[in-house]
Amino acid sequence: MTAQIIDGKAIAKQCRKALKGRVKEFTEQYGHAPGLGVILVGDDPASAVYVRNKEKACEKVGINSFHRDLPATATQEQVAAIIDEMNADDRVHGILLQLPLPKGLDEQAMLARIHPDKDADGFHPINAGYLAVGKEGYVPCTPKGVMTLIESTGQSIEGAHAVVIGRSNIVGKPQAQLLLGKNATVTVCHSRTRNLPEVVAQGDIVVAAVGRPEMVKGDWIKEGAIVIDVGINRRDDGTLCGDVDYDAAAERAGWITPVPGGVGPMTIAMLLENTLEGAIRKAESR
Ligand code: NDP
């Protein structure tokens, strides 16, 4: 079998187009655009590129972005003060604190400082709790985008065996919750999992979110499986690859996402969607 490619770039483009229409409607109805507050601490070049891309994406769909930069030497109190300002700013409906923060800053404390109603990334413990109990709240962007990619195959998630490799708070755990919410039978793997190849081989759906280049081998994949590769890794020659050995896995999978051009573009589209949804919730609660 040769897998069908799940074109995340094209699907994200469709999402952004639909969002642009919804943002226009919102802006006309309420007299103001949705707004995303973006906080960048330090001078990590990759983070600066991510932030710029997110802001450009906002602009293209009509969402305002409000950017604040802090130096790598910023104290916890300085970061907290900016978050508090954005929490209080009515123009801001979602707040994005770009991670990782420079060493010495307490990431969890800063994420928990963001008001749960403005938690566009869905990392606040309250929103993680809502997801765990199946209540409406903000859902982290990457796993949310992965669900759209899986749904794009037209295959039923209900009753399927989904194997998630990785248990981080930002990808693996929320991914498992979302799949469970759609009635998949979910197995979560991590660095202590025994016989990983055998576990992965049971997956009708495999989501790899590890951060190890091409770790998931082609012969681990069940014939016809849906393979979603969240990993973004740089090979020694500077080129990008995922966590899955793409060429070999594509020989067995039914559907597979490429890296780049798979999950990455969806993450940004979902951030925009979360910001709009936050703005709608706020406007409707008035
Ligand atoms: P983390 O480092 O936080 O988590 C990695 C997970 O992989 C951990 O749960 C770890 O297990 C597990 N793991 C590590 N080694 C193995 C192994 N040998 N076998 C099985 N499991 C293993 O990473 P993230 O979740 O933040 O990100 C994962 C990848 O996804 C990265 O490449 C990242 O760049 C990418 N990413 C891509 C995004 C996108 O938009 N496309 C967005 C976010 C992330 P343990 O818990 O036991 O340590």
Side-chain angles (χ1 to χ4, degrees), residues 195-219:
N195 304 324
L196 185 63
E198 285 164 36
V199 180
V200 173
Q202 294 170 29
D204 303 304
I205 299 168
V206 176
V207 180
V210 181
R212 294 170 81 99
E214 298 169 332
M215 184 196 90
V216 177
K217 302 302 174 201
D219 59 6

Side-chain angles (χ1 to χ4, degrees), residues 47-250:
S47 293
V49 171
Y50 288 141
V51 161
R52 225 179 7 256
N53 288 342
K54 289 168 186 173
E55 288 174 334
K56 266 195 223 152
C58 280
E59 200 182 307
K60 280 191 182 157
V61 299
I63 292 176
N64 290 329
S65 61
F66 302 93
H67 181 111
R68 299 295 295 269
D69 266 330
L70 281 166
T73 52
T75 61
Q76 188 101 335
E77 290 69 31
Q78 286 170 318
V79 180
I82 302 278
I83 294 174
D84 291 349
E85 255 179 56
M86 286 191 175
N87 278 339
D89 187 338
D90 280 343
R91 299 168 306 165
V92 173
H93 305 99
I95 300 174
L96 164 78
L97 177 63
Q98 182 64 41
L99 302 179
L101 292 179
K103 281 206 181 76
L105 295 175
D106 182 344
E107 232 165 64
Q108 287 309 317
M110 292 300 97
L111 291 174
R113 186 116 187 170
I114 293 171
H115 194 289
D117 292 346
K118 294 194 176 188
D119 177 31
D121 259 331
F123 296 158
H124 193 286
I126 289 201
N127 285 310
Y130 284 162
L131 181 59
V133 299
K135 194 168 173 237
E136 192 188 348
Y138 282 101
V139 173
C141 304
T142 299
K144 186 175 178 179
V146 166
M147 294 307 287
T148 304
L149 295 178
I150 295 171
E151 281 158 5
S152 78
T153 65
Q155 301 301 295
S156 175
I157 297 175
E158 181 160 328
H161 189 165
V163 176
V164 178
I165 320 174
R167 57 171 164 180
S168 71
N169 289 336
I170 64 171
V171 191
K173 276 186 206 153
Q175 192 69 68
Q177 302 281 6
L178 287 169
L179 286 159
L180 203 53
K182 292 283 177 190
N183 298 319
T185 300
V186 182
T187 302
V188 183
C189 303
H190 46 78
S191 65
R192 320 288 164 85
T193 297
R194 293 195 192 120
N195 304 324
L196 185 63
E198 285 164 36
V199 180
V200 173
Q202 294 170 29
D204 303 304
I205 299 168
V206 176
V207 180
V210 181
R212 294 170 81 99
E214 298 169 332
M215 184 196 90
V216 177
K217 302 302 174 201
D219 59 6
W220 300 6
I221 301 298
K222 182 175 177 175
E223 286 280 347
I226 299 170
V227 178
I228 308 287
D229 193 349
V230 179
I232 304 176
N233 311 292
R234 210 165 272 285
R235 295 191 189 91
D236 291 342
D237 66 3
T239 55
L240 287 183
C241 69
D243 290 341
V244 178
D245 180 355
Y246 180 87
D247 289 339

